[in-house]
Amino acid sequence: MSCTPGPEAMHLGAFQGERLVGCLSLCPLRPGLVQLRKFAVAADCQGMGIGGQLMHEALAICRQTGIQRLELDARSSALGFYEKFGMVPMGEVFFKGPIEHQRMALDLGN
């Protein structure tokens, strides 16, 4: 699946002063379904809660806008992070280049 290009995708950023230190994109795939993509936190800012804050904000936006389901392709090393937010693995493990990934989903009940 790929993100629908255009103004309907939403991009969130975390800043320290004027420096962008974290970001993610919420990309609509079809009505009620959004894929979280391009989630990153600057290496020197990891472990400071920035990713968690971005994730909380993304989930709040999804719920406020009536999104029913959020999906993402998680690096296998990050499964525990996403599981803290209630996301569950689905399907088989796969690779993007040399990096192992797992599709995850969260039903938001909207």
Side-chain angles (χ1 to χ4, degrees):
M1 288 188 230
S2 65
C3 177
T4 304
E8 57 275 347
M10 180 175 292
H11 311 285
L12 304 179
F15 293 84
Q16 285 183 341
E18 299 211 6
R19 178 181 174 221
L20 178 66
V21 295
C23 62
L24 63 78
S25 296
L26 296 172
C27 302
L29 299 176
R30 64 176 186 264
L33 174 62
V34 167
Q35 185 179 33
L36 189 150
R37 299 194 57 197
K38 309 297 181 189
F39 192 179
V41 173
D44 64 323
C45 294
Q46 291 180 5
M48 302 171 83
I50 294 167
Q53 290 175 0
L54 281 168
M55 192 70 181
H56 280 295
E57 185 66 20
L59 291 173
I61 288 168
C62 287
R63 288 185 173 106
Q64 291 165 3
T65 57
I67 298 301
Q68 298 164 345
R69 185 175 175 91
L70 176 68
E71 294 183 0
L72 58 88
D73 294 340
R75 290 177 182 222
S76 292
S77 61
L79 293 179
F81 172 82
Y82 294 110
E83 288 170 341
K84 287 188 239 177
F85 295 93
M87 301 201 75
V88 295
M90 53 185 265
E92 299 295 321
V93 170
F94 62 96
F95 288 83
K96 289 184 181 181
I99 302 171
E100 186 177 280
H101 283 74
Q102 173 74 54
R103 170 75 38 123
M104 299 189 83
L106 177 63
D107 288 319
L108 298 166
N110 289 323

